């Protein structure tokens, strides 16, 4: 059982928390995006900073000097890069004369991958620590006169203690592919409904006939020379859209090359020797995470081939059990990625505003349930039997 008292503090740099003690909480099977090196790399290369609207204030909990719990936390001056969209809340708050920013965010920057947001030591009482951290987050929000604190894409066991502390519950939908133990890519195609299988074959054929070859490279097999072009590929997509912000710097990609290559899977699409497109994926503990895509040349269906089909084929070849290609996109559902519910929790300090948000979330959860049911009924994957 957790003994009181514990010491709760904020670290303005992940470097102020020991790498080994942080990793003791995250664990070998923990989220790759909560690894100390990933978070430190974002900070050291200027991707995450007060100047980008992501000021680190990582919450730490110590007992007798030992780190027993932690949460990656940021003071946000905007709602960009979060993937749990609350822009409408910010606008409503402004109309009501309530200052919405700054706010506190417990999340992984720029990454909609679900998992634990409150890390706890494996030898500690996780349930008790979750309650301690939930209360601390609420008190930090109120004590600093902030509008709100948000815990995005959290784990299932974090929902109840946060709700008990007064957080409001929100659901979202993503599309995940689960590997049923397939032997090869033909097995994936055979498992699709006839219309979707024909569509997939037509798309892959069109890419081949355009003279494009696609290769997945992982870990040590990724050439060092590929990192700079992959950063340019990332920028190619960000620069196309007015809402895009180029958070990830060239220096961050070099950090990945030097310190984090083992967690990467790059998909390179080439015509001859020329790189024309690519996808940047992260992999760990049996899961592939699709993060970024870009192209220097538009080729019909290449996006689907590089981002989804190549990832599925890689999962099958490596025995990975799940592929999370990122947020949004019903086109993923058409290719065998089925609906998965995500969770986020939100503490809103203003009582009247909190009631309005709670009412909205109640209606939104009902809508999400209907959407998920409909998507499951229309799955591109053939039902057993």
């Amino acid at each position: 059982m957790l003994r009181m008292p514990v010491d709760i503090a904020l670290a303005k740099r992940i470097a102020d928390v020991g790498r080994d003690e942080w990793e003791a909480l995250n664990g070998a099977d923990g989220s790759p995006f909560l690894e100390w090196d990933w978070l430190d790399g974002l900070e050291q290369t200027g991707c995450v900073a007060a100047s980008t609207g992501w000021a680190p204030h990582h919450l730490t909990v110590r007992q007798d000097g030992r780190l027993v719990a932690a949460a990656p936390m940021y003071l946000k001056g905007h709602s960009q890069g979060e993937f749990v969209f609350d822009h409408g809340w910010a606008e409503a708050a402004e109309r009501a004369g309530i200052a919405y920013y700054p706010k506190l965010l417990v999340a992984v920057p720029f990454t909609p991958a679900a998992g634990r947001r409150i890390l706890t030591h494996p030898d500690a009482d996780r349930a008790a620590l979750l309650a301690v951290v939930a209360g601390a987050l609420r008190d930090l929000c109120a004590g600093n006169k902030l509008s709100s604190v948000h815990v995005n894409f959290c784990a299932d066991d974090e929902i109840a203690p946060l709700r008990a502390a007064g957080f409001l519950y929100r659901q979202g939908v993503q599309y995940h592919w689960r590997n049923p133990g397939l032997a090869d890519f033909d097995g994936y195609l055979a498992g699709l409904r006839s219309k979707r299988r024909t569509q997939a074959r037509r798309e892959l054929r069109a890419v081949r006939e355009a003279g494009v070859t696609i290769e997945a490279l992982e870990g040590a097999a990724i050439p060092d020379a590929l990192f700079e072009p992959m950063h340019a590929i990332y920028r190619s997509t960000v620069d196309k859209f007015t809402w895009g912000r180029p958070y990830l710097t060239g220096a961050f990609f070099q950090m990945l090359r030097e310190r984090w290559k083992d967690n990467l899977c790059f998909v390179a699409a080439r015509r001859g020797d020329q790189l024309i497109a690519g996808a940047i994926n992260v992999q760990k503990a049996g899961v592939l995470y699709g993060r970024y895509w870009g192209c220097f040349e538009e080729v019909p269906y290449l996006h689907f081939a590089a981002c989804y089909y190549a990832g599925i084929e890689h999962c099958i070849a490596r025995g990975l059990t799940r592929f999370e290609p990122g947020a949004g996109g019903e086109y993923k559902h058409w290719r065998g990625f089925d609906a998965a519910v995500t969770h986020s929790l939100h503490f809103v300090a203003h009582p009247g505003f909190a009631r309005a948000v709670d009412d909205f979330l109640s209606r939104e959860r009902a809508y999400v349930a209907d959407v998920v049911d409909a998507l499951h009924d229309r799955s591109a994957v053939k039902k057993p039997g």
Side-chain angles (χ1 to χ4, degrees), residues 1-16:
M1 294 293 294
L2 183 70
R3 302 191 314 277
M4 295 296 179
V6 293
D7 295 319
I8 298 173
L10 300 179
K12 293 191 176 181
R13 303 182 308 159
I14 193 69
D16 293 335

PDB file of all heavy atoms in Angstrom, residues 1-16:
ATOM      1  N   MET A   1       0.838  -1.201   0.000  1.00  0.00           N
ATOM      2  CA  MET A   1       0.000   0.000   0.000  1.00  0.00           C
ATOM      3  C   MET A   1       0.877   1.256   0.000  1.00  0.00           C
ATOM      4  O   MET A   1       2.001   1.251   0.497  1.00  0.00           O
ATOM      5  CB  MET A   1      -0.919   0.017   1.223  1.00  0.00           C
ATOM      6  CG  MET A   1      -1.969  -1.092   1.219  1.00  0.00           C
ATOM      7  SD  MET A   1      -3.171  -0.867  -0.117  1.00  0.00           S
ATOM      8  CE  MET A   1      -3.971   0.636   0.395  1.00  0.00           C
ATOM      9  N   LEU A   2       0.362   2.339  -0.557  1.00  0.00           N
ATOM     10  CA  LEU A   2       1.081   3.593  -0.605  1.00  0.00           C
ATOM     11  C   LEU A   2       1.081   4.233   0.782  1.00  0.00           C
ATOM     12  O   LEU A   2       0.050   4.348   1.424  1.00  0.00           O
ATOM     13  CB  LEU A   2       0.411   4.533  -1.608  1.00  0.00           C
ATOM     14  CG  LEU A   2       1.087   5.874  -1.833  1.00  0.00           C
ATOM     15  CD1 LEU A   2       2.396   5.681  -2.582  1.00  0.00           C
ATOM     16  CD2 LEU A   2       0.165   6.795  -2.615  1.00  0.00           C
ATOM     17  N   ARG A   3       2.254   4.613   1.220  1.00  0.00           N
ATOM     18  CA  ARG A   3       2.375   5.300   2.493  1.00  0.00           C
ATOM     19  C   ARG A   3       2.451   6.800   2.238  1.00  0.00           C
ATOM     20  O   ARG A   3       3.087   7.251   1.300  1.00  0.00           O
ATOM     21  CB  ARG A   3       3.622   4.857   3.252  1.00  0.00           C
ATOM     22  CG  ARG A   3       3.682   3.367   3.535  1.00  0.00           C
ATOM     23  CD  ARG A   3       4.788   3.053   4.518  1.00  0.00           C
ATOM     24  NE  ARG A   3       6.041   3.723   4.190  1.00  0.00           N
ATOM     25  CZ  ARG A   3       6.926   3.275   3.311  1.00  0.00           C
ATOM     26  NH1 ARG A   3       6.670   2.165   2.639  1.00  0.00           N
ATOM     27  NH2 ARG A   3       8.059   3.942   3.070  1.00  0.00           N
ATOM     28  N   MET A   4       1.812   7.556   3.070  1.00  0.00           N
ATOM     29  CA  MET A   4       1.858   8.996   2.970  1.00  0.00           C
ATOM     30  C   MET A   4       2.898   9.522   3.965  1.00  0.00           C
ATOM     31  O   MET A   4       3.157   8.889   4.973  1.00  0.00           O
ATOM     32  CB  MET A   4       0.477   9.599   3.253  1.00  0.00           C
ATOM     33  CG  MET A   4      -0.563   9.210   2.217  1.00  0.00           C
ATOM     34  SD  MET A   4      -0.144   9.877   0.589  1.00  0.00           S
ATOM     35  CE  MET A   4      -1.512   9.237  -0.363  1.00  0.00           C
ATOM     36  N   PRO A   5       3.506  10.687   3.721  1.00  0.00           N
ATOM     37  CA  PRO A   5       3.222  11.542   2.577  1.00  0.00           C
ATOM     38  C   PRO A   5       4.087  11.201   1.369  1.00  0.00           C
ATOM     39  O   PRO A   5       5.075  10.480   1.498  1.00  0.00           O
ATOM     40  CB  PRO A   5       3.575  12.923   3.115  1.00  0.00           C
ATOM     41  CG  PRO A   5       4.716  12.664   4.046  1.00  0.00           C
ATOM     42  CD  PRO A   5       4.427  11.327   4.685  1.00  0.00           C
ATOM     43  N   VAL A   6       3.694  11.753   0.251  1.00  0.00           N
ATOM     44  CA  VAL A   6       4.521  11.682  -0.947  1.00  0.00           C
ATOM     45  C   VAL A   6       4.878  13.120  -1.334  1.00  0.00           C
ATOM     46  O   VAL A   6       4.191  14.067  -0.952  1.00  0.00           O
ATOM     47  CB  VAL A   6       3.796  10.992  -2.116  1.00  0.00           C
ATOM     48  CG1 VAL A   6       3.561   9.522  -1.809  1.00  0.00           C
ATOM     49  CG2 VAL A   6       2.494  11.691  -2.448  1.00  0.00           C
ATOM     50  N   ASP A   7       5.951  13.251  -2.086  1.00  0.00           N
ATOM     51  CA  ASP A   7       6.385  14.571  -2.546  1.00  0.00           C
ATOM     52  C   ASP A   7       6.002  14.743  -4.007  1.00  0.00           C
ATOM     53  O   ASP A   7       6.433  13.966  -4.861  1.00  0.00           O
ATOM     54  CB  ASP A   7       7.905  14.709  -2.391  1.00  0.00           C
ATOM     55  CG  ASP A   7       8.339  14.671  -0.940  1.00  0.00           C
ATOM     56  OD1 ASP A   7       7.647  15.286  -0.100  1.00  0.00           O
ATOM     57  OD2 ASP A   7       9.342  14.014  -0.633  1.00  0.00           O
ATOM     58  N   ILE A   8       5.205  15.753  -4.298  1.00  0.00           N
ATOM     59  CA  ILE A   8       4.752  16.041  -5.654  1.00  0.00           C
ATOM     60  C   ILE A   8       5.474  17.293  -6.132  1.00  0.00           C
ATOM     61  O   ILE A   8       5.508  18.314  -5.425  1.00  0.00           O
ATOM     62  CB  ILE A   8       3.234  16.232  -5.701  1.00  0.00           C
ATOM     63  CG1 ILE A   8       2.535  14.943  -5.257  1.00  0.00           C
ATOM     64  CG2 ILE A   8       2.779  16.634  -7.098  1.00  0.00           C
ATOM     65  CD1 ILE A   8       1.041  15.071  -5.106  1.00  0.00           C
ATOM     66  N   ALA A   9       6.071  17.210  -7.312  1.00  0.00           N
ATOM     67  CA  ALA A   9       6.825  18.344  -7.844  1.00  0.00           C
ATOM     68  C   ALA A   9       6.647  18.415  -9.342  1.00  0.00           C
ATOM     69  O   ALA A   9       6.107  17.496  -9.977  1.00  0.00           O
ATOM     70  CB  ALA A   9       8.313  18.199  -7.483  1.00  0.00           C
ATOM     71  N   LEU A  10       7.107  19.524  -9.930  1.00  0.00           N
ATOM     72  CA  LEU A  10       7.072  19.719 -11.367  1.00  0.00           C
ATOM     73  C   LEU A  10       8.499  19.864 -11.883  1.00  0.00           C
ATOM     74  O   LEU A  10       9.322  20.544 -11.269  1.00  0.00           O
ATOM     75  CB  LEU A  10       6.265  20.960 -11.738  1.00  0.00           C
ATOM     76  CG  LEU A  10       4.799  20.975 -11.318  1.00  0.00           C
ATOM     77  CD1 LEU A  10       4.153  22.286 -11.729  1.00  0.00           C
ATOM     78  CD2 LEU A  10       4.044  19.805 -11.920  1.00  0.00           C
ATOM     79  N   ALA A  11       8.788  19.225 -12.999  1.00  0.00           N
ATOM     80  CA  ALA A  11      10.093  19.316 -13.645  1.00  0.00           C
ATOM     81  C   ALA A  11       9.919  20.044 -14.967  1.00  0.00           C
ATOM     82  O   ALA A  11       9.132  19.609 -15.820  1.00  0.00           O
ATOM     83  CB  ALA A  11      10.683  17.928 -13.872  1.00  0.00           C
ATOM     84  N   LYS A  12      10.641  21.134 -15.155  1.00  0.00           N
ATOM     85  CA  LYS A  12      10.502  21.926 -16.379  1.00  0.00           C
ATOM     86  C   LYS A  12      11.343  21.389 -17.528  1.00  0.00           C
ATOM     87  O   LYS A  12      11.322  21.951 -18.624  1.00  0.00           O
ATOM     88  CB  LYS A  12      10.834  23.387 -16.103  1.00  0.00           C
ATOM     89  CG  LYS A  12       9.801  24.045 -15.183  1.00  0.00           C
ATOM     90  CD  LYS A  12       9.987  25.541 -15.117  1.00  0.00           C
ATOM     91  CE  LYS A  12       8.895  26.177 -14.272  1.00  0.00           C
ATOM     92  NZ  LYS A  12       9.024  27.649 -14.199  1.00  0.00           N
ATOM     93  N   ARG A  13      12.083  20.316 -17.275  1.00  0.00           N
ATOM     94  CA  ARG A  13      12.797  19.588 -18.327  1.00  0.00           C
ATOM     95  C   ARG A  13      12.760  18.110 -17.957  1.00  0.00           C
ATOM     96  O   ARG A  13      12.914  17.759 -16.786  1.00  0.00           O
ATOM     97  CB  ARG A  13      14.261  20.022 -18.436  1.00  0.00           C
ATOM     98  CG  ARG A  13      14.522  21.479 -18.678  1.00  0.00           C
ATOM     99  CD  ARG A  13      16.033  21.706 -18.810  1.00  0.00           C
ATOM    100  NE  ARG A  13      16.743  21.117 -17.668  1.00  0.00           N
ATOM    101  CZ  ARG A  13      18.037  20.783 -17.677  1.00  0.00           C
ATOM    102  NH1 ARG A  13      18.759  20.967 -18.779  1.00  0.00           N
ATOM    103  NH2 ARG A  13      18.615  20.292 -16.596  1.00  0.00           N
ATOM    104  N   ILE A  14      12.567  17.254 -18.946  1.00  0.00           N
ATOM    105  CA  ILE A  14      12.632  15.827 -18.651  1.00  0.00           C
ATOM    106  C   ILE A  14      14.047  15.464 -18.194  1.00  0.00           C
ATOM    107  O   ILE A  14      14.253  14.502 -17.445  1.00  0.00           O
ATOM    108  CB  ILE A  14      12.196  14.982 -19.874  1.00  0.00           C
ATOM    109  CG1 ILE A  14      11.948  13.530 -19.477  1.00  0.00           C
ATOM    110  CG2 ILE A  14      13.227  15.055 -20.989  1.00  0.00           C
ATOM    111  CD1 ILE A  14      10.750  13.307 -18.619  1.00  0.00           C
ATOM    112  N   ALA A  15      15.042  16.255 -18.598  1.00  0.00           N
ATOM    113  CA  ALA A  15      16.422  16.017 -18.179  1.00  0.00           C
ATOM    114  C   ALA A  15      16.602  16.196 -16.679  1.00  0.00           C
ATOM    115  O   ALA A  15      17.590  15.717 -16.113  1.00  0.00           O
ATOM    116  CB  ALA A  15      17.369  16.949 -18.941  1.00  0.00           C
ATOM    117  N   ASP A  16      15.650  16.885 -16.016  1.00  0.00           N
ATOM    118  CA  ASP A  16      15.723  17.039 -14.566  1.00  0.00           C
ATOM    119  C   ASP A  16      15.219  15.803 -13.839  1.00  0.00           C
ATOM    120  O   ASP A  16      15.283  15.738 -12.600  1.00  0.00           O
ATOM    121  CB  ASP A  16      14.913  18.257 -14.126  1.00  0.00           C
ATOM    122  CG  ASP A  16      15.534  19.562 -14.608  1.00  0.00           C
ATOM    123  OD1 ASP A  16      16.760  19.577 -14.838  1.00  0.00           O
ATOM    124  OD2 ASP A  16      14.786  20.554 -14.770  1.00  0.00           O
TER     125      ASP A  16
END
